[in-house]
Amino acid sequence: MNNIIIWGIGKIYNQMRNNISYFEEKNQIKVEYILVSNPYMKKLDGYIVKSPEDISNLDYDYIIIMSDDYYEEILNEALIRRVERDKIISYKVLQIPNINLNRYFYLKEKNISIISNNCWGGVIYSTLGLECLSPFKNLYLTDEDYLKVISNLEYYLKQEPVFDRLEKDPHSCKQYPILKLKDIEIHCNHSDSYKDAIRDWNRRKIKLNYNNIFYEMYTEKKESAEKFYDLTLNSNSICFVPWETKKEKTLTLQMAPNQNEFYETVNSNATIGSNALKYELVELLLGNVYTRY
């Protein structure tokens, strides 16, 4: 069981109160303290209330921040008070359907690096509140280039990215930079400039954990899915496809009525939104494909 400090009270805390009780009853967490700036009470819901100034004297495994508006402010204060960054999580984790917090904390400690051919990896990191330990964020690669990269990952990550050209995004109509790593192209479709794209790529790639890599691909080409399967046969991986399949490490995703392109289906299933209904997020990253229907 993990000992927890709740940081913050108010609307979010009240909304999450029953969720907290649920996970306590499941023996997945034990709330030890609530932190409140300038506390005007000694207890709340049976929990001892403390000031952030007391944090260095408190025992805990994780801190859950109960705020949207002041999340960054609380995070920065925690870091100033020498709280380890990987000990801090957002309350949003408590909202993930069917989540087992023991499994979530286990995943969090594994420092997973996601190698994704589109935005799915970045979306997953955001949804689960995990530190992004991969340069494959806010970008996409063609099937051919992605398969080439994962066939020789270390080689390509040793290459220096260079600016190749600008291209117009068909959805936003904004121009974005394309970088090249030798013979492959990286479409940085969420970057404003090639300098930002190169900086972000280099900053993130040094964090990559080669000891725990998860490969994700989505494709509408059966040939690409077969090649991905062969390349990741002995790795932790998943390939999302729009056709019916029972093949191991390949998962069918069905487009919702309001979706026009398959990538929308892939990305929405990495969230906790209205169309995130197919699989359990934490278990997928731990190598278990548990569908919800």
Side-chain angles (χ1 to χ4, degrees), residues 55-105:
I55 198 166
S56 61
N57 298 317
L58 303 178
D59 292 326
Y60 62 90
D61 295 308
Y62 294 97
I63 294 173
I64 301 179
I65 297 179
M66 291 285 169
S67 178
D68 284 323
D69 295 339
Y70 300 103
Y71 181 86
E72 291 298 328
E73 182 179 325
I74 294 172
L75 173 62
N76 289 333
E77 182 175 357
L79 296 177
I80 290 171
R81 296 187 182 281
R82 305 196 176 204
V83 175
E84 296 177 33
R85 177 63 182 86
D86 61 1
K87 297 296 182 183
I88 302 170
I89 61 177
S90 167
Y91 75 90
K92 294 177 182 179
V93 169
L94 304 179
Q95 298 176 314
I96 296 173
N98 302 330
I99 191 169
N100 180 314
L101 289 181
N102 291 329
R103 299 285 284 168
Y104 170 77
F105 293 132

Side-chain angles (χ1 to χ4, degrees), residues 54-280:
D54 299 318
I55 198 166
S56 61
N57 298 317
L58 303 178
D59 292 326
Y60 62 90
D61 295 308
Y62 294 97
I63 294 173
I64 301 179
I65 297 179
M66 291 285 169
S67 178
D68 284 323
D69 295 339
Y70 300 103
Y71 181 86
E72 291 298 328
E73 182 179 325
I74 294 172
L75 173 62
N76 289 333
E77 182 175 357
L79 296 177
I80 290 171
R81 296 187 182 281
R82 305 196 176 204
V83 175
E84 296 177 33
R85 177 63 182 86
D86 61 1
K87 297 296 182 183
I88 302 170
I89 61 177
S90 167
Y91 75 90
K92 294 177 182 179
V93 169
L94 304 179
Q95 298 176 314
I96 296 173
N98 302 330
I99 191 169
N100 180 314
L101 289 181
N102 291 329
R103 299 285 284 168
Y104 170 77
F105 293 132
Y106 175 76
L107 172 66
K108 186 174 175 64
E109 292 172 358
K110 289 292 184 180
N111 296 322
I112 192 167
S113 288
I114 300 173
I115 309 298
S116 175
N117 72 329
N118 76 323
C119 300
W120 184 89
V123 175
I124 280 285
Y125 278 124
S126 177
T127 300
L128 296 180
L130 301 175
E131 182 183 2
C132 179
L133 302 177
S134 171
F136 292 83
K137 179 183 179 182
N138 295 337
L139 51 81
Y140 78 87
L141 290 81
T142 64
D143 285 10
E144 294 73 19
D145 280 354
Y146 177 73
L147 293 168
K148 195 180 295 183
V149 167
I150 67 173
S151 69
N152 200 352
L153 183 63
E154 290 193 49
Y155 166 77
Y156 281 104
L157 289 184
K158 286 178 182 177
Q159 310 307 315
E160 284 298 317
V162 295
F163 172 65
D164 185 63
R165 67 186 187 277
L166 292 174
E167 193 161 299
K168 183 179 286 188
D169 187 291
H171 304 98
S172 66
C173 294
K174 293 181 179 180
Q175 286 193 319
Y176 67 85
I178 294 178
L179 307 181
K180 292 202 79 171
L181 289 179
K182 289 298 183 181
D183 57 338
I184 69 109
E185 294 183 346
I186 306 170
H187 292 251
C188 303
N189 55 321
H190 291 281
S191 297
D192 294 325
S193 72
Y194 77 89
K195 291 183 179 179
D196 289 344
I198 291 175
R199 182 199 63 217
D200 290 342
W201 175 272
N202 287 331
R203 174 174 56 85
R204 290 168 180 151
K205 80 174 182 180
I206 62 176
K207 297 181 179 182
L208 195 134
N209 178 15
Y210 283 97
N211 295 317
N212 189 18
I213 289 178
F214 184 93
Y215 296 97
E216 178 272 343
M217 182 181 190
Y218 88 94
T219 184
E220 297 179 77
K221 301 176 182 177
K222 291 188 177 182
E223 181 181 356
S224 296
E226 288 293 334
K227 289 181 179 178
F228 177 81
Y229 178 81
D230 292 338
L231 286 170
T232 61
L233 187 60
N234 298 314
S235 304
N236 198 8
S237 64
I238 194 69
C239 184
F240 299 115
V241 298
W243 59 83
E244 288 296 326
T245 179
K246 294 183 179 179
K247 192 162 189 173
E248 186 182 3
K249 299 184 180 181
T250 305
L251 187 61
T252 304
L253 294 182
Q254 296 175 332
M255 293 175 62
N258 62 335
Q259 294 171 339
N260 298 312
E261 298 187 53
F262 188 51
Y263 81 87
E264 297 176 276
T265 305
V266 173
N267 290 345
S268 67
N269 269 278
T271 70
I272 57 173
S274 58
N275 292 319
L277 301 171
K278 180 67 178 185
Y279 54 87
E280 296 184 16

